[in-house]
Amino acid sequence: MHIEQIYTGCLAQGAYYIESNGEVAIIDPLREVQPYIEKAFKRNAKIKYIFETHFHADFVSGHVTLAEKTGATIVYGPLANPLFDAHIASDGEIFKLGDITLTALHTPGHTMESTVYLLKDAHGKDHAIFSGDTLFLGDVGRPDLAQKAANMTQEQLAGLLFDSLRSKIMTLADDVIVYPAHGAGSACGKNLSKETVGTLGEQKRTNYALRADMTREEFIYEVTDGLLPPPAYFPMNVKLNKEGYQNVEEIIEKNKALNPDEFELLANEIDALILDVRHQDDFSKGHIPGSIFIGLDGGFAPWVGALILDYKQPILLVTPEGREQEAITRLSRVGYDYTVGFLKGSFEAWRNAGKEFDTLTSITPQELELKLQHQKVPVFDVRKPGEYQSEHLEIAESTPLDFLNDHLATFPSNETFYVHCAGGYRSVIAASILKARGVHNLVDVKKGFSGLKETQIPRTNYVCPSTLK
């Protein structure tokens, strides 16, 4: 028996390769499926099953393409209703894979079709669960995403999740290994651990939602308390996962390498969004006017999904040279399939062609400290509400990047203001969005709050609850 977790940090997502006696099951694959096919080929094995724990909201899974390429059977749990060929498992149904088995345990609550797969080894002993979004390390799946599809409230779904956990999961032995679908950084929960593999016994001892003495009412309150609004792209991803989608290889093939003149002409012709995915320092030094920055080397895909609301808008890319295909692929993972081309030669080609470009003014934390000694200036903190609440500059106002559109009227139009995040990535995203909308009287604070903590600028951890969103 061979089990491999294939973890994608940008999405905080775990897919799984399971092999026994030449037969393979893939659980919750990413959209680009060739790596799974190549892995099975190298191991002289055949992909037999593609198990989906639920209709994912935070990424587009690779189940449809993988089934087309391999002939493997797609398996969903009870109540799933995909528009493509799939086997809908009954609760407790057993699937044989070489010398081992996987049992479908229906665990509604995060979604109605949510299913955990219990792996029994060749001796019939419970070995591991692939828990999807039902159980994370440190948390459980949020119960507010499937309200519309289930025609239920988040409290009702939380009640179902309470029952699922206690009747299907917590009855298993403490030494059962837990392989979740996500880790820290995912928007599918609120308290996920940085660890990506654990044991059920550890979770029974440390996971707030699995307390043995927890009442149903306490569970419902604690699981639903403090949930931030889900990213806007989630419903679109569920739709694609349920109905099917275009092969990502076809999306890559249709994208064209464009010289600066071709790039500029096409951008104007189709009213494309110019997305610059280079490092934030490179963007600050020079970028195409009106372009939006979301760097590949940060939380790229989730921020794209949260901030680019029209997923059908044509996108033109400015990437580091050699990373064009990576950018297109990572956009497709969250359903942004309407990329049409990229700037050949990256931004240097644009500048060398004599095209107009813009820059982003920046300041160090120490320079901001010196400025504040002589005058009071407006400072805006674009970190998440919880980060702001934990500690922030006394003078800073909370304008979270997630909800930047709600705060546009907050930024002054007649004086220079300063923007910071935790380390410098999100503040440049915010600044690029504001500049694209004609707001240029801003300055980015380099290194963000990590650098500001090294200064003597007064900080506090108090915040009026009414200012939090």
Side-chain angles (χ1 to χ4, degrees):
M1 177 175 65
H2 174 76
I3 301 173
E4 185 174 345
Q5 182 185 67
I6 304 168
Y7 198 79
T8 304
C10 176
L11 293 171
Q13 188 268 344
Y16 296 91
Y17 177 101
I18 307 164
E19 181 187 322
S20 175
N21 198 21
E23 294 185 337
V24 175
I26 306 294
I27 297 183
D28 294 338
L30 284 182
R31 189 168 179 181
E32 65 274 20
V33 301
Q34 198 58 34
Y36 310 115
I37 296 171
E38 292 174 359
K39 188 181 294 291
F41 178 78
K42 288 177 182 178
R43 295 179 60 87
N44 195 28
K46 179 177 175 58
I47 299 175
K48 182 179 182 180
Y49 293 116
I50 304 158
F51 291 102
E52 290 286 347
T53 55
H54 63 297
F55 292 122
H56 302 282
D58 60 310
F59 72 101
V60 180
S61 185
H63 52 300
V64 174
T65 303
L66 189 56
E68 290 174 350
K69 286 179 173 287
T70 65
T73 300
I74 301 171
V75 179
Y76 275 94
L79 305 182
N81 54 345
L83 299 187
F84 43 81
D85 289 339
H87 178 86
I88 308 304
S90 57
D91 187 22
E93 185 171 350
I94 298 172
F95 298 84
K96 187 167 178 56
L97 187 77
D99 299 324
I100 65 176
T101 63
L102 287 113
T103 303
L105 305 178
H106 188 210
T107 53
H110 175 64
T111 66
M112 291 304 294
E113 77 283 352
S114 286
T115 297
V116 170
Y117 297 98
L118 170 64
L119 186 153
K120 293 177 182 281
D121 64 20
H123 304 289
K125 183 181 184 298
D126 294 350
H127 178 75
I129 55 172
F130 299 88
S131 58
D133 287 20
T134 295
L135 174 64
F136 301 123
L137 302 188
D139 203 356
V140 293
R142 56 191 296 172
D144 61 320
L145 300 182
Q147 295 179 76
K148 185 176 179 180
N151 195 26
M152 300 172 71
T153 66
Q154 66 177 15
E155 288 75 21
Q156 289 172 318
L157 284 162
L160 287 178
L161 184 56
F162 177 86
D163 295 337
S164 294
L165 290 165
R166 274 138 182 91
S167 65
K168 300 287 182 66
I169 306 302
M170 293 177 67
T171 56
L172 299 172
D174 287 359
D175 63 351
V176 169
I177 300 169
V178 179
Y179 292 110
H182 294 291
S186 169
C188 294
K190 58 183 179 180
N191 193 44
L192 283 71
S193 169
K194 294 179 183 177
E195 302 299 322
T196 61
V197 179
T199 66
L200 189 54
E202 292 168 352
Q203 291 309 297
K204 290 176 183 178
R205 291 190 298 272
T206 62
N207 191 320
Y208 77 96
L210 300 191
R211 295 198 310 269
D213 61 348
M214 194 178 209
T215 67
R216 185 188 184 91
E217 289 71 25
E218 288 172 334
F219 177 91
I220 292 171
Y221 173 77
E222 293 189 34
V223 167
T224 58
D225 182 49
L227 287 174
L228 293 173
Y233 74 102
F234 273 24
M236 176 263 291
N237 276 211
V238 171
K239 185 175 187 292
L240 289 171
N241 282 318
K242 185 179 291 189
E243 297 179 2
Y245 46 79
Q246 187 178 7
N247 188 327
V248 68
E249 294 169 1
E250 297 173 1
I251 297 170
I252 292 171
E253 288 175 2
K254 76 179 183 183
N255 275 264
K256 301 174 182 178
L258 304 166
N259 66 39
D261 288 337
E262 293 169 332
F263 188 94
E264 185 175 34
L265 180 63
L266 186 58
N268 292 328
E269 280 183 351
I270 64 175
D271 193 25
L273 170 70
I274 299 174
L275 181 61
D276 193 322
V277 302
R278 297 174 297 147
H279 191 274
Q280 59 263 32
D281 291 346
D282 295 325
F283 180 88
S284 296
K285 292 173 185 175
H287 56 267
I288 298 173
S291 59
I292 299 297
F293 163 78
I294 305 178
L296 280 173
D297 295 325
F300 176 65
W303 281 120
V304 167
L307 298 171
I308 301 178
L309 301 183
D310 182 5
Y311 71 93
K312 290 187 176 182
Q313 182 175 8
I315 294 175
L316 284 168
L317 292 165
V318 180
T319 77
E321 285 199 78
R323 300 184 71 181
E324 298 87 359
Q325 182 172 321
E326 176 190 350
I328 297 164
T329 300
R330 289 173 65 179
L331 283 166
S332 74
R333 287 176 182 169
V334 286
Y336 286 77
D337 296 350
Y338 292 82
T339 50
V340 293
F342 54 87
L343 181 59
K344 185 178 180 180
S346 192
F347 178 72
E348 286 68 28
W350 181 271
R351 182 162 45 195
N352 292 339
K355 300 287 187 182
E356 179 186 0
F357 67 90
D358 198 358
T359 59
L360 173 60
T361 304
S362 301
I363 193 172
T364 67
Q366 291 71 29
E367 289 171 329
L368 178 60
E369 179 181 27
L370 183 62
K371 183 174 291 291
L372 287 169
Q373 291 174 2
H374 299 92
Q375 65 181 116
K376 184 178 180 181
V377 299
V379 177
F380 297 90
D381 185 334
V382 300
R383 296 176 300 158
K384 291 183 180 295
E387 296 173 274
Y388 180 82
Q389 186 174 17
S390 176
E391 187 179 21
H392 60 272
L393 301 184
E394 286 184 357
I395 61 170
E397 186 167 349
S398 178
T399 54
L401 178 59
D402 308 63
F403 317 114
L404 194 68
N405 290 331
D406 299 335
H407 294 284
L408 294 178
T410 305
F411 301 104
S413 59
N414 56 355
E415 63 178 319
T416 300
F417 62 91
Y418 299 79
V419 180
H420 80 82
C421 60
Y425 176 80
R426 286 175 285 176
S427 60
V428 177
I429 296 176
S432 74
I433 293 172
L434 292 171
K435 285 175 69 67
R437 296 185 177 183
V439 180
H440 296 282
N441 53 313
L442 57 87
V443 176
D444 174 56
V445 181
K446 293 182 177 181
K447 297 184 180 180
F449 197 67
S450 63
L452 290 166
K453 288 199 291 187
E454 298 175 1
T455 70
Q456 299 302 309
I457 302 174
R459 304 188 301 273
T460 181
N461 60 2
Y462 171 78
V463 62
C464 175
S466 64
T467 67
L468 292 177
K469 290 201 173 189

